[in-house]
Amino acid sequence: MTVALAACQKLGGVAGGDSNPKLTVGESVAGEITSRSTLNYNDGSRHQAYTVTLKNGEAVSLELGGSLNGQLAVFDGQTMLANASGNSDMEEGDSGSAVNLAFRAPKDGTYLVAVNSAGSNSFGPFKLKSSKIVPYDGKPLGAGSQAIDWLMDDKQEYKLQVDKAGLYSITLESSAFDAYLRLNGRNVELEDDDNGGRLNARIRTFLEPGEYTIDASSVNGKTGSFKLSVAMTATDGNLVTRDGTALTIGQTAQSMMDSRARRTFVLTVDKPRQVQFDAIADGFDSVLHITGPGVDEENDDGGNGTNARLTLNLRPGRYIVAVTSLGSQQGVFELETTDLSGDAIDVAGPSNRKDAAEEAASAAADAAAVAEPVIQ
């Protein structure tokens, strides 16, 4: 924000000045931030400004690419309409990453687009791409659609029409406010704040065909432009979406979290077995919890990365296998069950931690009884 405002101050807030090259929507321009670029006096960063002429309500998407570690800002005179920056963890001198910004013109006029360097030592070539976005027309959203709109009140409501079952990702992005999303319909009640990265919101869940309601709102009470997008990923026809589904040792079950960020399975063991359980998650930190005869075990990161893993010696019986996520995140996961028994498993001896503790306690009690003198 400071860098963007500095750019505005240095440019004198003059939108449409003759010294600034023009940007035509639908085209791209190339440039470079060097030591000769216009200086922002408060922090030593540099900038290049462009002017773009728009009609009232016209929505524009801007993408800044190239090696420049940079930022984008859009001004209407002295008023900043929108701004966006790249990776905040990058250090000065690092190669850049794409910066995306979308905004809607509040009136007919000429606006200033500033390409700012992220710091006093940030230099390099860049490419600024602009494209026109069709504003939201009020029709229900669907897979592959997006809406560019302006948050005016506490929240705004949108209809989502799901024609095909699948994994849906609903994202609310804004450079003007801290985004917050709610999704309701067909026994689905989900909400999210920051899973979209930075202050953006994202809900990722499996949806059955039907009508849903999306509420877009702001956490910090601010208003401004935003982009609401819906994407769908087709899933395997065998995707598990109900609790209590039976597991088969040696097979992999593909599933996804319910609205509570949880999914439970049932495993029936016919004879003593050593089984390895792996919860391989798509985009979240998985947790495994297994209960049954002599077993009450939980694991968070025993597998690769943040995936959960448990290896247990199981007695014959019925076990409940629960997969949850840290932070109540949504997503698809795979639950693998691998039989490690072989021929060497001790059929009679307990091997789980709980069984071992019980055996140790029993042995200690027996030892104490033997050591105690006998009174006749």
Side-chain angles (χ1 to χ4, degrees):
M1 179 73 76
T2 301
V3 174
L5 289 174
C8 181
Q9 292 169 356
K10 177 59 184 174
L11 293 166
V14 180
D18 294 337
S19 61
N20 298 319
K22 296 184 182 300
L23 176 66
T24 301
V25 177
E27 298 181 357
S28 299
V29 294
E32 184 175 3
I33 296 295
T34 69
S35 59
R36 294 185 178 183
S37 300
T38 309
L39 177 67
N40 300 320
Y41 291 112
N42 67 330
D43 63 359
S45 63
R46 308 278 174 162
H47 72 263
Q48 172 62 58
Y50 298 88
T51 58
V52 57
T53 301
L54 302 172
K55 297 290 186 180
N56 178 30
E58 188 174 358
V60 177
S61 174
L62 300 173
E63 180 179 329
L64 178 65
S67 61
L68 174 69
N69 182 10
Q71 303 172 337
L72 283 174
V74 179
F75 295 89
D76 176 13
Q78 298 285 349
T79 302
M80 184 169 66
L81 298 180
N83 74 312
S85 59
N87 188 349
S88 60
D89 296 329
M90 294 176 64
E91 297 181 356
E92 292 184 356
D94 288 349
S95 59
S97 59
V99 179
N100 295 281
L101 182 151
F103 73 101
R104 188 176 68 175
K107 61 183 179 181
D108 291 353
T110 299
Y111 300 84
L112 186 143
V113 176
V115 176
N116 304 297
S117 65
S120 59
N121 293 323
S122 294
F123 303 99
F126 65 83
K127 184 176 182 180
L128 179 61
K129 179 181 179 181
S130 64
S131 57
K132 183 178 180 179
I133 300 176
V134 179
Y136 179 59
D137 57 6
K139 297 179 180 178
L141 298 173
S145 64
Q146 68 177 21
I148 301 295
D149 213 340
W150 196 276
L151 186 64
M152 302 298 294
D153 301 312
D154 293 339
K155 70 175 183 178
Q156 288 172 203
E157 185 177 288
Y158 300 83
K159 295 298 182 183
L160 172 63
Q161 178 63 46
V162 174
D163 296 325
K164 183 179 180 181
L167 181 64
Y168 282 77
S169 180
I170 304 167
T171 306
L172 178 63
E173 301 174 274
S174 177
S175 60
F177 58 84
D178 188 351
Y180 197 85
L181 262 179
R182 287 186 177 88
L183 176 67
N184 294 279
R186 292 186 60 83
N187 297 320
V188 173
E189 293 185 7
L190 298 173
E191 56 187 36
D192 180 71
D193 182 5
D194 295 329
N195 276 331
R198 298 184 181 274
L199 299 179
N200 299 319
R202 175 176 294 137
I203 292 175
R204 195 164 185 257
T205 187
F206 181 84
L207 297 179
E208 297 283 357
E211 293 185 356
Y212 299 81
T213 300
I214 300 173
D215 286 339
S217 61
S218 166
V219 172
N220 52 17
K222 294 184 178 180
T223 61
S225 63
F226 64 85
K227 179 170 70 173
L228 178 62
S229 58
V230 180
M232 190 272 282
T233 302
T235 56
D236 191 322
N238 296 322
L239 183 73
V240 176
T241 60
R242 298 183 184 279
D243 287 333
T245 299
L247 291 175
T248 300
I249 296 177
Q251 296 185 5
T252 299
Q254 185 185 41
S255 184
M256 67 162 299
M257 295 302 181
D258 62 12
S259 59
R260 304 166 300 165
R262 177 184 176 88
R263 183 65 64 195
T264 59
F265 302 82
V266 175
L267 175 65
T268 301
V269 178
D270 58 347
K271 62 181 181 180
R273 294 178 183 270
Q274 184 181 55
V275 181
Q276 177 177 297
F277 299 85
D278 285 279
I280 304 170
D282 177 14
F284 63 85
D285 190 347
S286 64
V287 179
L288 266 171
H289 187 194
I290 301 176
T291 56
V295 172
D296 188 353
E297 299 287 341
E298 184 172 285
N299 177 264
D300 178 9
D301 297 331
N304 296 326
T306 60
N307 294 324
R309 171 180 291 172
L310 280 172
T311 301
L312 303 172
N313 284 353
L314 304 179
R315 304 172 182 173
R318 184 175 181 271
Y319 297 83
I320 302 298
V321 181
V323 180
T324 58
S325 68
L326 292 181
S328 298
Q329 294 184 333
Q330 301 293 317
V332 169
F333 65 90
E334 291 184 342
L335 180 57
E336 293 183 352
T337 52
T338 306
D339 191 349
L340 303 179
S341 302
D343 298 326
I345 186 169
D346 184 354
V347 175
S351 59
N352 299 315
R353 290 199 296 271
K354 183 176 180 181
D355 292 341
E358 293 174 352
E359 183 182 39
S362 178
D366 292 343
V370 171
E372 186 177 349
V374 178
I375 300 176
Q376 298 187 1

